Amino acid sequence: MVNENRRIQSVERALSLLEALAQAGGAARLADLAVRLELDKGTTHGLLNTMAAMGYVARHGTLYALGLRLRDVAQPLADADARLRAAFGPALRALAERSGETCYLAVPCGTRDYLYIDALEGSGSLRVASPRGRREGLTTSAIGRVFLAHEPALVRSLRRAGLLPGGLETALVQIAGQGYALDLQEAEPGLHCLAMPLRQQGRVVAALGLAGPAQRLREAALHRLARNAMRDFFDIVKI
């Protein structure tokens, strides 16, 4: 049996260096990267030089920067995101217009997280800022639970890693049955959220969600909004 919890340290360190470079604005000094990742300079230098030889990192004087090869590797992902935004953009806009709240489109990101790839900010005086480009954990919100409710492999992976909260699997059965998930101030005090699955060829590939102040988005209103959206948006996308 494959051990899904086994992690290769050198791979984790190399990818963490790329993430650190991105968070630093695309370039940073070796010493700063070593401190940030709590690595010795020799290890950091070796990892950076290896990635530089492959084009994933570039060196400019005392700075190490993200390499152009990353753009080539990421292009298929960018194209896939663009296709999803084109396919589900009408539903995103329709939900934003109907609710007046911040609405967003998200996709799974690995076996632990999901990523917001599009968002429209609400029109109210109290509104949630656009989360576009941000990652969040699968177990922490309505969006993540929608993905878990429709992808057993993700649930198994979290269970084997000991990361599945108690009682969540029962909630996932309910979410799969009713067709949407709610987050009532669980992820953040004062915030209510709604999420619905988006399918292509029968498979859940993305999720549509909204978030707003709990004082304005009452639980009963969220249930009503979800049921109406699933009915009325059926001709826009296969929800």
Side-chain angles (χ1 to χ4, degrees), residues 7-193:
R7 302 161 83 99
I8 308 301
Q9 187 181 65
S10 58
V11 175
E12 285 188 327
R13 287 175 170 177
L15 295 177
S16 293
L17 276 170
L18 293 177
E19 290 183 345
L21 284 170
Q23 292 163 3
R29 296 186 307 154
L30 184 151
D32 294 333
L33 291 168
V35 170
R36 185 181 187 118
L37 297 182
E38 299 181 346
L39 298 174
D40 62 72
K41 288 185 180 180
T43 298
T44 306
H45 183 262
L47 290 168
L48 289 170
N49 275 0
T50 299
M51 290 190 288
M54 299 180 68
Y56 293 104
V57 168
R59 186 169 183 178
H60 306 297
T62 61
L63 293 177
Y64 286 89
L66 295 174
L68 292 178
R69 191 170 181 183
L70 289 170
R71 184 169 58 190
D72 296 334
V73 171
Q75 190 58 51
L77 293 176
D79 293 342
D81 285 353
R83 288 192 294 271
L84 288 176
R85 285 195 294 270
F88 299 129
L92 178 66
R93 291 189 293 273
L95 185 61
E97 291 171 2
R98 172 171 296 191
S99 67
E101 305 293 349
T102 296
C103 296
Y104 36 80
L105 182 65
V107 295
C109 182
T111 59
R112 302 286 188 272
D113 304 314
Y114 64 89
L115 174 71
Y116 295 103
I117 63 170
D118 206 355
L120 294 173
E121 288 197 12
S123 56
S125 57
L126 292 175
R127 60 180 183 270
V128 179
S130 167
R132 183 171 178 175
R134 194 174 74 217
R135 286 186 304 176
E136 291 190 0
L138 286 170
T139 63
T140 61
S141 69
I143 284 276
R145 291 174 185 180
V146 159
F147 290 131
L148 290 174
H150 294 88
E151 184 48 74
L154 292 175
V155 176
R156 288 195 297 270
S157 177
L158 290 171
R159 188 191 302 118
R160 288 169 180 164
L163 299 175
L164 199 65
L168 180 56
E169 290 189 75
T170 300
L172 295 178
V173 173
Q174 179 183 357
I175 291 168
Q178 70 185 10
Y180 59 90
L182 300 185
D183 173 355
L184 304 176
Q185 304 190 66
E186 297 173 65
E188 184 178 330
L191 188 70
H192 279 182
C193 305

